[in-house]
Amino acid sequence: MNKNKKFIPVMLMPFFEDGKIDYMALSQLIEFYLAHGAAGLFANCLSSEMYHLTQEEMIQSVSFIVKTVDGRVPVVATGTFEDTIANQASFVKEIYNTGVESVIVITSLLAKETDTEEVFQANVHQLLTLTDDIPLGFYECPLPYKRIIDPSFLGQLVQYGRIKYHKDTSLDINHVGAKLLATRSSEDFGLYDAYMVHAVDSLLTGSAGLSCIQGNYFPELVVWLCNNYNKEEQINKVQKVQHFFQRNMDVMHDSYPTSAKYILGKRKLKLGVYCRNRNYVLDEKVKQDLDNLYLDFEAVCNQLGIDTSLSMIA
């Protein structure tokens, strides 16, 4: 309960305007995350536009991230995609060979939306059997649909000693609590919450930390919350930060991840705003909303005593 809480960013993927991966920008982004206190990196995730990458690009980009990080923090990466369980297991091995600490399994790709819980659990066990001793984690990715893992089943899986990570997207603090209760016997497992609306409650309940898209805008605020959530002398400031994320939830989700790249551009990162998913093009109203969001961020940082000029990487 009193362990240090960690922020694990769900990494963005920078692209050139022609759609190719911009590795120089990716290197800068890695340093940005680490400079702001990220305790690990979640590569090849939905924020990385993983469904718009080829498997070759996944392997290359994850390998680049692992090499650039060079052991400074753990790196995890998604390794299952829509295919047979056997083929998913083969790709898990390929991702693991890049040097990541754990390979993340997407729950909604291990069974169809219409499949029963029994089918899902059988497929999980099959994947475990086919992936030897590779450390794994689960990600309740909202696409192609969201499959929330049952707390008791997660507790059973953690007993095997191979499940190290869970990215929770249940949006339900009671469900988070049930998962934490079911997995409490494992010291090597961490549940990371994606839902910033109840971030403080989740940390107080016992989650290992936060893994949220908001960290792709303002990682230092997420890290500050992880460091101060339970300090009585900081309670007023903790509430201000929690309220900042709550009131800006919609603007940070609208047009994401393009919107996050726009904000990082204001922070002097040279990522551009191009996304392969062209559904999220910024119009003038959205830009104005994001400009206001940035002003709100600066105001909160002033109240916390965070110098935002130090957080810009040229």
Side-chain angles (χ1 to χ4, degrees):
M1 186 77 168
N2 294 320
K3 288 183 180 179
N4 292 333
K5 306 297 183 175
K6 300 176 181 179
F7 165 54
I8 311 294
V10 283
M11 296 184 67
L12 296 169
M13 182 63 74
F15 299 101
F16 292 110
E17 287 297 317
D18 64 2
K20 294 180 181 178
I21 296 174
D22 183 345
Y23 281 98
M24 184 174 294
L26 180 56
S27 178
Q28 185 188 41
L29 180 63
I30 291 167
E31 299 306 325
F32 178 78
Y33 289 134
L34 298 184
H36 290 86
L41 298 176
F42 185 173
N44 197 38
C45 54
L46 194 59
S47 291
S48 313
E49 299 188 75
M50 60 185 182
Y51 291 129
H52 297 273
L53 301 176
T54 66
Q55 290 195 351
E56 182 180 7
E57 287 174 322
M58 293 176 192
I59 295 294
Q60 290 176 346
S61 60
V62 173
S63 297
F64 177 86
I65 291 165
V66 170
K67 182 177 180 180
T68 303
V69 169
D70 193 24
R72 287 176 286 175
V73 297
V75 179
V76 301
T78 304
T80 59
F81 289 90
E82 195 162 14
D83 207 331
T84 64
I85 300 300
N87 286 342
Q88 290 192 48
S90 294
F91 195 61
V92 164
K93 294 175 182 178
E94 290 189 59
I95 287 290
Y96 188 61
N97 287 337
T98 65
V100 298
E101 295 221 352
S102 298
V103 180
I104 306 304
V105 176
I106 299 173
T107 54
S108 59
L109 293 181
L110 291 180
K112 297 177 181 179
E113 190 170 7
T114 54
D115 284 339
T116 64
E117 178 67 13
E118 288 74 20
V119 170
F120 169 70
Q121 293 189 12
N123 288 346
V124 171
H125 284 298
Q126 183 184 0
L127 185 74
L128 286 169
T129 300
L130 294 174
T131 50
D132 305 323
D133 296 324
I134 294 174
L136 300 176
F138 291 104
Y139 173 20
E140 295 168 337
C141 183
L143 294 176
Y145 72 98
K146 187 185 290 190
R147 181 177 282 270
I148 302 299
I149 196 164
D150 178 76
S152 61
F153 182 52
L154 182 61
Q156 294 170 23
L157 294 174
V158 165
Q159 295 302 313
Y160 297 145
R162 288 179 56 193
I163 308 303
K164 306 297 184 182
Y165 176 100
H166 177 71
K167 178 176 164 65
D168 193 272
T169 68
S170 67
L171 315 184
D172 183 342
I173 192 62
N174 293 323
H175 200 84
V176 170
K179 286 174 178 169
L180 291 170
L181 183 63
T183 58
R184 67 189 183 282
S185 62
S186 175
E187 295 184 358
D188 296 328
F189 169 80
L191 182 149
Y192 294 86
D193 208 324
Y195 193 41
M196 289 302 290
V197 167
H198 65 212
V200 173
D201 286 342
S202 182
L203 294 171
L204 289 170
T205 300
S207 63
L210 303 170
S211 187
C212 51
I213 70 166
Q214 289 79 5
N216 283 326
Y217 295 83
F218 312 118
E220 61 269 66
L221 286 187
V222 182
V223 170
W224 188 94
L225 208 56
C226 287
N227 292 338
N228 294 279
Y229 72 98
N230 63 346
K231 295 180 180 178
E232 291 185 10
E233 69 275 15
Q234 297 281 28
I235 186 62
N236 290 334
K237 291 181 178 179
V238 167
Q239 291 175 349
K240 288 182 185 294
V241 176
Q242 178 72 92
H243 291 159
F244 167 81
F245 286 120
Q246 288 173 341
R247 68 175 174 268
N248 289 301
M249 183 65 63
D250 289 343
V251 68
M252 283 193 270
H253 276 83
D254 290 345
S255 304
Y256 181 82
T258 313
S259 51
K261 292 181 178 182
Y262 177 83
I263 288 291
L264 292 181
K266 293 176 71 69
R267 306 194 66 178
K268 311 304 181 187
L269 273 74
K270 300 174 183 178
L271 305 184
V273 296
Y274 184 91
C275 293
R276 287 187 178 177
N277 182 350
R278 304 303 290 162
N279 293 334
Y280 302 115
V281 178
L282 304 180
D283 60 29
E284 291 306 313
K285 181 184 182 305
V286 173
K287 288 180 181 179
Q288 184 60 59
D289 289 341
L290 292 170
D291 290 342
N292 291 336
L293 169 66
Y294 192 75
L295 292 174
D296 195 2
F297 159 70
E298 290 186 312
V300 171
C301 285
N302 286 337
Q303 293 172 349
L304 298 178
I306 295 176
D307 186 351
T308 57
S309 67
L310 298 178
S311 69
M312 296 181 180
I313 298 178

